[in-house]
């Protein structure tokens, strides 16, 4: 089954949105496979965002991500990468639809509350980076009530 990496960024933690965000993924029917509350170092944040290293906002982005603890998670389910991005909303909260996490809870692109992997391949890379120890191996007893 497909997995994605979801991270509640330091602003989401500071603003008390952890329960709300986890609830949205849970209520959708996705399964939580990994969860940890960590503050990452600069080199780690630079690695996570390596693809964006040439962008003018890169340094500010790294400073933002290391500015406080984040909630790192692995969620599993059918099409969870694409659907997870829909639940999160567009990168710029000014363009995120109401009902999405960024559309409901964010205003500025540089304080957009949450990260989600953008493809199955990047999800694999991000899960390996954030959860080198591996994730939980369990399956929900609700499975037949969520999937036909
Ligand atoms: P994504 O998080 O929706 O996948 P990316 O393009 O991968 O968006 O950018 C990663 C993060 O970098 C964004 O979530 C946002 O926090 C930040 N970011 C992207 N573009 C800008 C910008 O133009 N100014 C400031 N921060 C930006
Ligand atoms: Mg991205």
């Amino acid at each position: 089954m497909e997995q994605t990496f979801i991270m509640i960024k330091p602003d989401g933690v500071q603003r008390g949105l952890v329960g709300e965000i986890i609830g949205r993924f849970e209520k959708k029917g996705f399964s939580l496979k990994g969860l940890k509350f960590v503050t990452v170092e600069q080199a780690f944040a630079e690695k996570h965002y390596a693809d964006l290293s040439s962008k003018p906002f890169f340094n500010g982005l790294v400073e933002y991500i290391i500015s406080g603890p984040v909630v790192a998670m692995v969620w599993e389910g059918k099409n969870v990468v694409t659907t997870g991005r829909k639940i999160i909303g567009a990168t710029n909260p000014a363009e995120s639809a109401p009902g999405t996490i960024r559309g409901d809870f964010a205003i500025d692109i540089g304080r957009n509350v949450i990260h989600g992997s953008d493809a199955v391949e990047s999800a694999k890379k991000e899960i390996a980076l954030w959860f080198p120890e591996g994730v939980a191996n369990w399956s929900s007893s609700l499975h037949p009530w969520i999937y036909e």
Side-chain angles (χ1 to χ4, degrees):
M1 187 79 91
E2 188 171 298
Q3 295 184 334
T4 193
F5 174 69
I6 301 291
M7 172 187 42
I8 304 173
K9 296 175 176 178
D11 51 334
V13 172
Q14 293 287 351
R15 293 179 52 204
L17 296 172
V18 171
E20 169 75 32
I21 289 170
I22 290 176
R24 290 188 178 206
F25 281 84
E26 253 183 345
K27 281 179 268 187
K28 174 70 176 172
F30 293 133
S31 287
L32 183 60
K33 293 282 163 152
L35 173 75
K36 58 183 164 188
F37 190 55
V38 284
T39 306
V40 298
E41 292 183 343
Q42 186 176 333
F44 187 94
E46 286 172 353
K47 203 166 173 190
H48 171 76
Y49 280 123
D51 292 351
L52 300 174
S53 60
S54 62
K55 301 282 185 194
F57 58 82
F58 182 70
N59 289 345
L61 173 60
V62 169
E63 285 303 312
Y64 163 43
I65 294 305
I66 67 173
S67 66
V70 301
V71 177
M73 296 178 280
V74 175
W75 286 90
E76 186 178 282
K78 189 177 181 180
N79 295 323
V80 68
V81 171
T82 302
T83 305
R85 296 275 296 187
K86 286 182 185 160
I87 290 170
I88 287 170
T91 302
N92 187 347
E95 276 136 37
S96 318
T100 66
I101 291 168
R102 288 166 174 166
D104 288 349
F105 302 122
I107 293 175
D108 265 355
I109 192 167
R111 295 292 183 271
N112 62 358
V113 170
I114 184 167
H115 165 85
S117 307
D118 62 8
V120 172
E121 276 316 300
S122 51
K124 284 183 186 155
K125 263 206 254 178
E126 292 170 3
I127 291 166
L129 176 67
W130 287 81
F131 290 87
E133 69 277 21
V135 297
N137 181 20
W138 73 292
S139 55
S140 168
S141 57
L142 292 179
H143 198 277
W145 297 105
I146 293 169
Y147 296 96
E148 70 173 346

